[in-house]
Amino acid sequence: MCRFVVYKGTSPVELSHLLTKPCHSIINQAFDSRLRLDRRRPMNGDGFGVGWYDSVYDEESYQPCIFTSITPAWNNVNLVRLAEKIKSPLVLATTAGSLSLDNCHPFVHGRLMFMHNGGIADFPLVKRRLQADLPDVAFNKVQGNTDSEWAFALFLSKLPDPNAKSFTTALLRDAMFKTIASLNHYAEEAGITEPSLMNFCVTDGETVIATRYISSKTDEAASLWYSSGTTFSEFGGGGHYKMSKADKRENIIMVASEPLTFERADWMEIKTNNMVVVTPKMNLLQIPIVDKFYVPPSDPASLTRTTEFAREKGLLVPRGMETMESEELH
Amino acid sequence: MCRFVVYKGTSPVELSHLLTKPCHSIINQAFDSRLRLDRRRPMNGDGFGVGWYDSVYDEESYQPCIFTSITPAWNNVNLVRLAEKIKSPLVLATTAGSLSLDNCHPFVHGRLMFMHNGGIADFPLVKRRLQADLPDVAFNKVQGNTDSEWAFALFLSKLPDPNAKSFTTALLRDAMFKTIASLNHYAEEAGITEPSLMNFCVTDGETVIATRYISSKTDEAASLWYSSGTTFSEFGGGGHYKMSKADKRENIIMVASEPLTFERADWMEIKTNNMVVVTPKMNLLQIPIVDKFYVPPSDPASLTRTTEFAREKGLLVPRGMETMESEELH
Amino acid sequence: MCRFVVYKGTSPVELSHLLTKPCHSIINQAFDSRLRLDRRRPMNGDGFGVGWYDSVYDEESYQPCIFTSITPAWNNVNLVRLAEKIKSPLVLATTAGSLSLDNCHPFVHGRLMFMHNGGIADFPLVKRRLQADLPDVAFNKVQGNTDSEWAFALFLSKLPDPNAKSFTTALLRDAMFKTIASLNHYAEEAGITEPSLMNFCVTDGETVIATRYISSKTDEAASLWYSSGTTFSEFGGGGHYKMSKADKRENIIMVASEPLTFERADWMEIKTNNMVVVTPKMNLLQIPIVDKFYVPPSDPASLTRTTEFAREKGLLVPRGMETMESEELH
Amino acid sequence: MCRFVVYKGTSPVELSHLLTKPCHSIINQAFDSRLRLDRRRPMNGDGFGVGWYDSVYDEESYQPCIFTSITPAWNNVNLVRLAEKIKSPLVLATTAGSLSLDNCHPFVHGRLMFMHNGGIADFPLVKRRLQADLPDVAFNKVQGNTDSEWAFALFLSKLPDPNAKSFTTALLRDAMFKTIASLNHYAEEAGITEPSLMNFCVTDGETVIATRYISSKTDEAASLWYSSGTTFSEFGGGGHYKMSKADKRENIIMVASEPLTFERADWMEIKTNNMVVVTPKMNLLQIPIVDKFYVPPSDPASLTRTTEFAREKGLLVPRGMETMESEELH
């Protein structure tokens, strides 16, 4: 089961506190307990990817470093050792692994990192159309062959200059809106009716943008949560972490496919078809993605989206998880 | 969670019917759904190993072939492809993987294959003692550094000639008895009180011996089941397999850490501290391992062994699985 | 350095005699002794791939099996063990490895296997054009993202029905001619002047076609040789193999990027811009690929093609190898 | 071919300048061009290992970090990316890889790192004896099963407290003398006459000790060189590095199995059966290892040690390399 997490802090975090030590980290989280009944190709990988920026900002060389693997993170001795040495103020990590390194998230282009939790429905039917819209720089940058990497290429094509050294928050936000709009447009043209799950995350090292989105009016998107506070640290041993809020300032913002601590109150759910923007100055904004799949919270239909579709796709759904966890933990 | 399976048939089985196609194969079985709370070293591997003998018996070159991996079986494209091509009348497979190929089961020596589902308690305390008892041939044959491989070396040391071209069933059975007795003896000498879980399986390509054993009078061993019949095949699609009994003859005998079909009636549980012997002529015998940890079925204490210890070690226990599955499946 | 070999025999060969045992097999051949001065991306992989057909022909299920790896063949314990068990009358093997399993040769589609030793010049400049010409079946079959796999997709598009159960030799031959012609056409359209190296090999399990081709009138293609005989076996120990000719019949035909035995007389060089066809009945034909890059043997210019280009690309060139080997071996 | 390098500097070096960028780094060096005629088990791995200490000294947590792999370094995308981000004042790196992560150098214990370039002759004959001499802390610390790791365990057993937070240079030097002496003693007891190649390197993060040693009076040890200067940097592009000496101070000391730059004058050969000690204050001492295999430089026999044995073992020998390189480079 595919998960992701983003950490942005005013000071660097040791990667181990995010990845390997918390018992509820995306690496150590509960595994999919269902039988693997779906044995159709393509097989799902158990790999992972982590990307981070340096602690020290250097205008010239401020590029993310990536560590990816096609083998499971929980067994990776190099990851365990490196995570205790590396500190970063901005980290993306995902278990959206692959059988091929080329397909491992997060994807990088210059200063930008991108990851995707979900899937573009019937991607073969829109792939040619998407590719036709790409300028060469975006077309040729794709190394692997997944819907997610092509979605990143599409995102790059929505930026005035994907090789720029800096991006305003507005530029990144608008490029994300346009990416989703184009993917919806392609699907409509191709007559695709199955919804696409588009939980995307992109950052340039300063702004972070994450979406919780599904191209459906009646289904829930895969889950997405955030938490903010002043410190994120272990308490009482055993890998139990919590987010503390010492004062009004928010030194840390985390966005994740599911809560990373047992303290559910620390975590706020991002509503389906909304975008979260974390600005360079650590402000967090929620922005609705208003298109034909949007249902305003005032509309009673917003309460009746069903989780079956996301669940079927092996993605997290909030309600189910709450139930499972309350059973497990209490 | 570590599992194993043995298949012995009068005719060869395509490995895919054992490993990759059944939705309930050891590879596709339910994953451990608990949080990975135990993050102590050594980390558990997700690898696997398969060993098989040729379909055609050749007195000179009758040696097993092994395919092992430190990456998960369910993702292994080579395994998926090979399993559809290879046929064998005697197959051992296990998910007792490792982070190191040297430590992957099954272990091979000449015609013999060996695997272990469990663990020798406080192995560092008995390792030197065990090694001292080994002749050079057994001492130097160990490539990795696990309790299981040293247990195999000990087993080899109990055979008159571990390099022999054939072994009687009695020789293998007695060597297994002696192996368990020595391990118990070493533990006693070292003052170890924690029980050891010794579900071993050994074969020379003709006889198969599997034990369900724990060095405790009050705990249950890790589970072990067997099934026999005339054909093992898919019915109704979806990877559902069943064992059919067309007549009295038993053409197929399978021994596994848990039932490999949904038809629970197809499977018989092997009692704790018993050994199963499958003879070259396909007779199946259950033999109690009578020592100070043995409790006869007539003794009421035989009904009160508790499953907590095996469960804590991440091994399967019959009762728990039944409950989980009835919830899942009905 | 990338190499390939094809074996076709009237009876099956144990893969070990082709891959792991001969000291001069493609796996054990001399390594590139130059400093790795070219440290540009993309990095070259050291993986390999082997594909083979069953010994027994079955009209329904006659599909090749593939074993690929992104780690070097000479270290692969599974390969070493499997090669001693598997026998096949038609084997393709290559060290054209990759960092990603998706990119490992040989590529398979239904009954067809394909591999490529070389490179399409400036592939990004022709990729979109090539893709536009593909029908969906060929476009969507590509898993990775290399020039070689797209060339295979192009080849498939030249067949009337790439999913057919059988192909005539003429169909395969013509599809190969058309594939090369289209690649040349795309390059011309795009104004590409660097030559492409197109040593391709394709088989449907019965016919084998291999090309030695370069889109240049003045450069040599990467080398290609063949050998035929009645038995291919070790003599005198030490992994030295030779091809024997007991009589006029040819039971074995091998095509390889360089001679696989020390007996140079056993091997015939295939001329640049020629195709070798091995028919189902084991006839071997050499057919010139006559286009604007063809130079007839009668033309003195055919003797002055230079090997610099292929050498620069890290491919084998006949003259250089002869020199190196005579130094080494005598 | 197995190589190692140690870097110690007064300021941190970016690992890429040591490992991935120099065209003459141990990773990019010339590969063994001989046919792999020796196809006996155990197969040689192509993996590698790098260990380094933090740039900032922290008395509590000053432990090395290790990155190891069983796949070749030149293909490792994670290594390439990490090497551009990690800086360290003390780095050990080796291509003494393995097929098993447990066997990859460098080995670590607390603050200590250890690597070995060579081999203990007839190790199975002395293994039990060596193990018997180890205290439990050293015996149980071994994860894999190689002569090198057991030699490290032996080294640990020669220290008063292998878990100490600091070691004097004298303690480490004496432990190294004793390790070699014990290995010689075991070989003598066992009647082993083949020489052992013992190029060892150990460091506690402050002192570095490296030996060039063979238990023979007539053979050369595997080669070992050192270089010192004020800066180690690229000049003229193309991955060509050189060591500059701006003044008398030595800010950088490197010890390596062969020169890492084309400027041969930058490098001094360490004599066979000598030890190099780099003190915490960057003094470099050469100390002869005086035992029955020592030949003083004044003795004419010191000039007639032959390189055949080391060469046969696949290790570097100074004379041969000089010849090969002058051919290659000029």
Side-chain angles (χ1 to χ4, degrees), chain A residues 27 31 45-48 69-77 79 95 98, chain B residues 36 43-47 70-72 74-75 99:
Chain A
I27 287 169
F31 292 84
D46 287 294
F48 69 95
S69 174
I70 54 171
T71 58
W74 56 84
N75 282 337
N76 197 296
V77 290
L79 177 67
T95 54
S98 162
Chain B
R36 287 196 181 233
M43 295 187 283
N44 289 315
D46 287 293
I70 54 172
T71 59
W74 56 83
N75 283 336
L99 296 181

Short mmCIF file of all heavy atoms in Angstrom, two decimals, chain A residues 27 31 45-48 69-77 79 95 98, chain B residues 36 43-47 70-72 74-75 99:
data_model
loop_
_atom_site.label_atom_id
_atom_site.label_comp_id
_atom_site.label_asym_id
_atom_site.label_seq_id
_atom_site.Cartn_x
_atom_site.Cartn_y
_atom_site.Cartn_z
N ILE A 27 7.16 3.81 6.78
CA ILE A 27 7.88 2.56 6.58
C ILE A 27 7.39 1.47 7.53
O ILE A 27 7.29 0.31 7.17
CB ILE A 27 9.39 2.79 6.76
CG1 ILE A 27 9.94 3.54 5.56
CG2 ILE A 27 10.14 1.49 6.97
CD1 ILE A 27 11.35 4.04 5.73
N PHE A 31 0.85 -3.11 7.42
CA PHE A 31 0.88 -3.59 6.06
C PHE A 31 -0.51 -3.99 5.62
O PHE A 31 -1.39 -4.22 6.44
CB PHE A 31 1.83 -4.79 5.95
CG PHE A 31 3.23 -4.38 6.16
CD1 PHE A 31 3.75 -4.25 7.43
CD2 PHE A 31 4.02 -4.06 5.08
CE1 PHE A 31 5.04 -3.82 7.62
CE2 PHE A 31 5.31 -3.64 5.27
CZ PHE A 31 5.82 -3.51 6.54
N GLY A 45 5.55 -2.84 -6.67
CA GLY A 45 6.85 -2.91 -6.02
C GLY A 45 6.73 -2.58 -4.55
O GLY A 45 5.73 -2.03 -4.09
N ASP A 46 7.74 -2.94 -3.80
CA ASP A 46 7.77 -2.61 -2.39
C ASP A 46 8.89 -1.63 -2.11
O ASP A 46 9.34 -1.52 -0.98
CB ASP A 46 8.00 -3.88 -1.56
CG ASP A 46 6.77 -4.74 -1.52
OD1 ASP A 46 5.78 -4.30 -0.94
OD2 ASP A 46 6.81 -5.84 -2.08
N GLY A 47 9.35 -0.97 -3.13
CA GLY A 47 10.46 -0.04 -2.95
C GLY A 47 10.02 1.23 -2.26
O GLY A 47 8.92 1.33 -1.71
N PHE A 48 10.88 2.20 -2.31
CA PHE A 48 10.58 3.47 -1.66
C PHE A 48 11.48 4.54 -2.24
O PHE A 48 12.38 4.24 -3.03
CB PHE A 48 10.81 3.36 -0.16
CG PHE A 48 12.26 3.22 0.18
CD1 PHE A 48 13.04 4.33 0.51
CD2 PHE A 48 12.87 1.98 0.14
CE1 PHE A 48 14.39 4.20 0.78
CE2 PHE A 48 14.21 1.84 0.41
CZ PHE A 48 14.98 2.95 0.73
N SER A 69 14.99 2.96 -3.84
CA SER A 69 15.30 1.54 -3.84
C SER A 69 14.11 0.74 -4.34
O SER A 69 12.97 1.12 -4.10
CB SER A 69 15.67 1.09 -2.43
OG SER A 69 15.83 -0.31 -2.40
N ILE A 70 14.40 -0.36 -5.01
CA ILE A 70 13.31 -1.23 -5.44
C ILE A 70 13.08 -2.33 -4.41
O ILE A 70 12.24 -3.19 -4.59
CB ILE A 70 13.58 -1.85 -6.83
CG1 ILE A 70 14.93 -2.55 -6.87
CG2 ILE A 70 13.54 -0.78 -7.90
CD1 ILE A 70 15.15 -3.35 -8.14
N THR A 71 13.85 -2.32 -3.32
CA THR A 71 13.61 -3.30 -2.26
C THR A 71 13.01 -2.57 -1.06
O THR A 71 13.17 -1.36 -0.92
CB THR A 71 14.90 -4.03 -1.88
OG1 THR A 71 15.87 -3.06 -1.46
CG2 THR A 71 15.45 -4.79 -3.07
N PRO A 72 12.33 -3.30 -0.20
CA PRO A 72 11.56 -2.64 0.86
C PRO A 72 12.43 -1.78 1.80
O PRO A 72 13.54 -2.17 2.17
CB PRO A 72 10.95 -3.81 1.63
CG PRO A 72 10.88 -4.93 0.64
CD PRO A 72 12.11 -4.75 -0.21
N ALA A 73 11.88 -0.66 2.18
CA ALA A 73 12.59 0.28 3.05
C ALA A 73 12.90 -0.33 4.42
O ALA A 73 13.94 -0.07 5.00
CB ALA A 73 11.75 1.54 3.22
N TRP A 74 11.98 -1.15 4.94
CA TRP A 74 12.17 -1.64 6.31
C TRP A 74 13.36 -2.58 6.44
O TRP A 74 13.79 -2.87 7.53
CB TRP A 74 10.90 -2.28 6.86
CG TRP A 74 10.34 -3.40 6.03
CD1 TRP A 74 10.74 -4.71 6.08
CD2 TRP A 74 9.30 -3.31 5.06
NE1 TRP A 74 10.01 -5.44 5.16
CE2 TRP A 74 9.11 -4.63 4.54
CE3 TRP A 74 8.51 -2.28 4.58
CZ2 TRP A 74 8.17 -4.91 3.57
CZ3 TRP A 74 7.56 -2.57 3.60
CH2 TRP A 74 7.39 -3.85 3.11
N ASN A 75 13.88 -3.05 5.33
CA ASN A 75 15.04 -3.94 5.35
C ASN A 75 16.31 -3.25 4.91
O ASN A 75 17.35 -3.89 4.84
CB ASN A 75 14.84 -5.06 4.32
CG ASN A 75 13.92 -6.11 4.81
OD1 ASN A 75 13.76 -6.26 6.00
ND2 ASN A 75 13.30 -6.82 3.90
N ASN A 76 16.24 -1.99 4.53
CA ASN A 76 17.37 -1.37 3.86
C ASN A 76 18.38 -0.85 4.88
O ASN A 76 18.18 0.19 5.48
CB ASN A 76 16.85 -0.25 2.96
CG ASN A 76 17.89 0.16 1.96
OD1 ASN A 76 18.95 0.66 2.34
ND2 ASN A 76 17.62 -0.07 0.68
N VAL A 77 19.47 -1.59 5.05
CA VAL A 77 20.45 -1.21 6.06
C VAL A 77 21.10 0.13 5.73
O VAL A 77 21.41 0.91 6.65
CB VAL A 77 21.55 -2.28 6.27
CG1 VAL A 77 20.97 -3.50 6.95
CG2 VAL A 77 22.21 -2.68 4.96
N LEU A 79 19.65 2.67 4.29
CA LEU A 79 18.68 3.70 4.69
C LEU A 79 18.72 3.91 6.20
O LEU A 79 18.74 5.04 6.68
CB LEU A 79 17.27 3.31 4.26
CG LEU A 79 16.18 4.29 4.70
CD1 LEU A 79 16.34 5.64 4.00
CD2 LEU A 79 14.78 3.74 4.46
N THR A 95 6.42 5.37 -0.16
CA THR A 95 6.57 3.94 -0.41
C THR A 95 5.93 3.57 -1.74
O THR A 95 5.63 2.41 -1.97
CB THR A 95 5.94 3.12 0.73
OG1 THR A 95 4.60 3.53 0.89
CG2 THR A 95 6.69 3.31 2.03
N SER A 98 8.58 0.69 -6.83
CA SER A 98 8.46 0.15 -8.17
C SER A 98 9.40 -1.02 -8.31
O SER A 98 10.29 -1.23 -7.48
CB SER A 98 8.84 1.26 -9.16
OG SER A 98 9.14 0.71 -10.40
N ARG B 36 4.84 -2.98 12.63
CA ARG B 36 6.16 -3.56 12.88
C ARG B 36 6.75 -2.88 14.11
O ARG B 36 7.66 -2.05 14.00
CB ARG B 36 7.07 -3.36 11.69
CG ARG B 36 6.69 -4.26 10.54
CD ARG B 36 7.80 -4.34 9.51
NE ARG B 36 7.36 -5.20 8.42
CZ ARG B 36 8.06 -6.24 7.98
NH1 ARG B 36 9.22 -6.54 8.51
NH2 ARG B 36 7.61 -6.98 7.00
N MET B 43 17.13 -7.11 11.35
CA MET B 43 15.92 -6.92 10.58
C MET B 43 15.55 -8.23 9.89
O MET B 43 16.41 -9.02 9.55
CB MET B 43 16.15 -5.83 9.53
CG MET B 43 16.40 -4.48 10.18
SD MET B 43 16.48 -3.15 8.97
CE MET B 43 18.12 -3.44 8.32
N ASN B 44 14.27 -8.41 9.71
CA ASN B 44 13.81 -9.59 8.99
C ASN B 44 13.84 -9.33 7.50
O ASN B 44 13.44 -8.27 7.05
CB ASN B 44 12.36 -9.91 9.37
CG ASN B 44 12.28 -10.45 10.77
OD1 ASN B 44 13.08 -11.30 11.13
ND2 ASN B 44 11.37 -9.91 11.55
N GLY B 45 14.29 -10.30 6.77
CA GLY B 45 14.28 -10.17 5.33
C GLY B 45 12.92 -10.56 4.78
O GLY B 45 12.11 -11.19 5.45
N ASP B 46 12.67 -10.17 3.57
CA ASP B 46 11.44 -10.55 2.89
C ASP B 46 11.75 -11.45 1.72
O ASP B 46 10.94 -11.58 0.82
CB ASP B 46 10.72 -9.30 2.36
CG ASP B 46 10.09 -8.53 3.48
OD1 ASP B 46 9.16 -9.06 4.09
OD2 ASP B 46 10.54 -7.41 3.75
N GLY B 47 12.91 -12.03 1.71
CA GLY B 47 13.30 -12.87 0.60
C GLY B 47 12.59 -14.21 0.64
O GLY B 47 11.62 -14.42 1.38
N ILE B 70 16.86 -12.19 -1.99
CA ILE B 70 16.70 -11.38 -0.78
C ILE B 70 15.60 -10.34 -0.99
O ILE B 70 15.34 -9.54 -0.11
CB ILE B 70 18.02 -10.69 -0.39
CG1 ILE B 70 18.60 -9.89 -1.55
CG2 ILE B 70 19.03 -11.72 0.07
CD1 ILE B 70 19.79 -9.04 -1.15
N THR B 71 14.97 -10.35 -2.14
CA THR B 71 13.84 -9.45 -2.36
C THR B 71 12.55 -10.27 -2.39
O THR B 71 12.58 -11.47 -2.65
CB THR B 71 14.01 -8.65 -3.65
OG1 THR B 71 14.11 -9.54 -4.75
CG2 THR B 71 15.26 -7.79 -3.59
N PRO B 72 11.42 -9.63 -2.12
CA PRO B 72 10.18 -10.39 -1.95
C PRO B 72 9.78 -11.21 -3.17
O PRO B 72 9.90 -10.78 -4.31
CB PRO B 72 9.14 -9.29 -1.68
CG PRO B 72 9.91 -8.14 -1.13
CD PRO B 72 11.24 -8.19 -1.86
N TRP B 74 6.81 -12.01 -4.18
CA TRP B 74 5.63 -11.58 -4.93
C TRP B 74 5.97 -10.57 -6.02
O TRP B 74 5.17 -10.30 -6.88
CB TRP B 74 4.53 -11.06 -4.00
CG TRP B 74 4.95 -9.94 -3.11
CD1 TRP B 74 5.00 -8.62 -3.42
CD2 TRP B 74 5.35 -10.06 -1.75
NE1 TRP B 74 5.43 -7.90 -2.33
CE2 TRP B 74 5.64 -8.75 -1.28
CE3 TRP B 74 5.50 -11.13 -0.85
CZ2 TRP B 74 6.08 -8.50 0.03
CZ3 TRP B 74 5.93 -10.87 0.44
CH2 TRP B 74 6.21 -9.58 0.87
N ASN B 75 7.16 -10.00 -5.98
CA ASN B 75 7.60 -9.03 -6.97
C ASN B 75 8.59 -9.61 -7.96
O ASN B 75 9.06 -8.89 -8.83
CB ASN B 75 8.35 -7.89 -6.29
CG ASN B 75 7.42 -6.94 -5.62
OD1 ASN B 75 6.27 -6.84 -5.99
ND2 ASN B 75 7.92 -6.24 -4.63
N LEU B 99 18.40 -10.95 4.63
CA LEU B 99 19.01 -9.81 3.96
C LEU B 99 20.25 -10.23 3.20
O LEU B 99 20.86 -9.44 2.50
CB LEU B 99 19.37 -8.73 4.97
CG LEU B 99 18.19 -8.12 5.70
CD1 LEU B 99 18.66 -7.04 6.65
CD2 LEU B 99 17.22 -7.53 4.69
#
